[in-house]
Amino acid sequence: MTQDEPSGQVMSQGVMSTGEGMRIFPDVEACIDCGGCVVACKRTWDREIDNQRIDITTMAEGVAGPQGENADKTGRLAAGENPGETSLPMQCYHCENAPCVSVCPTNALQKEDDGFVSVHEDLCVGCQYCLSGCPFGAPQFPDSNDGTAQIFGTGGIMDKCTGCRERQEVQKGPACAEECATDAILVGGAGEIADELEARDSQPFFNDEAMAIIFGEEDAQLFQ
């Protein structure tokens, strides 16, 4: 462990610690696009068919990299080479410098003291500024004609991944991470995640700018 980390029960290789200070982060070397995380989220939170709080983005589908289909994706990306088919679980990563919070004009999105980025539904006017601000596609607007948004004719109340905060408060991991058969969704402190990626000989998928958004400038250095 490279710095102060949140405390909690170790549940799996992917879920290392929960609660205050945790982060959610994907390991693209491990993701096999099985959809287990999507199903687990929908089952846990009873989401509508068209509302996914986590989505799997697959790039270069069906394209093998120069060293095979599942070899060193992040290394090739870092070298500017073709990584081949790459799948990435996209959800709210509860960013340290969350752009959605910065652009929200009504304070409906807030970075809480324990690190979770939460939605205060009574303040959301459905302006969708958060949708344009988030580089990870986390905000969803499943109810475009309900509530306050109906008055303004906008996109409805914003919905996104909660980090399974209620589960974490009782020392359980997020449903998506605990369901993941390959431990492609990592949950823990920044140092724990950096150490786990290093142990797996994997690297972050995102560039330096995105890493600074997710972890903050100082903790992003742990991944270099």
Side-chain angles (χ1 to χ4, degrees):
M1 190 176 297
T2 54
Q3 63 168 27
D4 293 339
E5 300 289 358
S7 59
Q9 182 181 0
V10 176
M11 286 153 279
S12 72
Q13 187 178 11
V15 182
M16 295 163 284
S17 63
T18 57
E20 185 173 347
M22 74 85 208
R23 290 286 187 275
I24 298 175
F25 195 72
D27 177 7
V28 299
E29 302 285 2
C31 182
I32 57 173
D33 192 17
C34 68
C37 55
V38 177
V39 174
C41 180
K42 282 182 173 289
R43 183 178 65 231
T44 301
W45 299 107
D46 194 24
R47 304 314 303 162
E48 303 86 349
I49 292 176
D50 295 333
N51 178 218
Q52 292 190 179
R53 289 176 170 177
I54 178 171
D55 193 15
I56 302 174
T57 297
T58 299
M59 294 151 282
E61 187 168 2
V63 177
Q67 298 177 30
E69 295 182 351
N70 296 301
D72 193 25
K73 299 179 187 298
T74 51
R76 286 190 224 142
L77 282 168
E81 300 173 355
N82 171 25
E85 181 175 311
T86 303
S87 295
L88 175 67
M90 299 285 281
Q91 62 197 107
C92 177
Y93 300 129
H94 299 270
C95 301
E96 179 65 23
N97 298 316
C100 61
V101 173
S102 300
V103 301
C104 181
T106 64
N107 292 324
L109 282 155
Q110 297 181 19
K111 179 73 173 175
E112 309 291 357
D113 291 341
D114 58 9
F116 289 85
V117 174
S118 61
V119 183
H120 295 251
E121 295 182 353
D122 57 327
L123 297 177
C124 180
V125 297
C127 68
Q128 300 194 30
Y129 283 8
C130 55
L131 182 60
S132 60
C134 175
F136 309 114
Q140 306 290 316
F141 291 87
D143 302 314
S144 59
N145 294 310
D146 291 347
T148 308
Q150 189 174 30
I151 300 173
F152 292 89
T154 55
I157 304 301
M158 190 267 219
D159 183 76
K160 71 170 187 66
C161 158
T162 64
C164 285
R165 192 178 187 182
E166 293 88 344
R167 290 174 56 90
Q168 294 203 37
E169 287 174 350
V170 293
Q171 285 75 56
K172 292 183 178 179
C176 59
E178 291 202 340
E179 189 80 6
C180 182
T182 61
D183 290 322
I185 299 176
L186 303 177
V187 179
E192 288 176 316
I193 293 173
D195 289 349
E196 181 65 21
L197 288 177
E198 184 178 6
R200 297 181 180 191
D201 196 23
S202 184
Q203 301 177 44
F205 172 81
F206 300 114
N207 62 24
D208 291 345
E209 180 180 2
M211 292 297 287
I213 290 173
I214 297 171
F215 292 102
E217 295 283 353
E218 183 176 349
D219 282 353
Q221 301 300 314
L222 297 171
F223 295 82
Q224 298 181 354

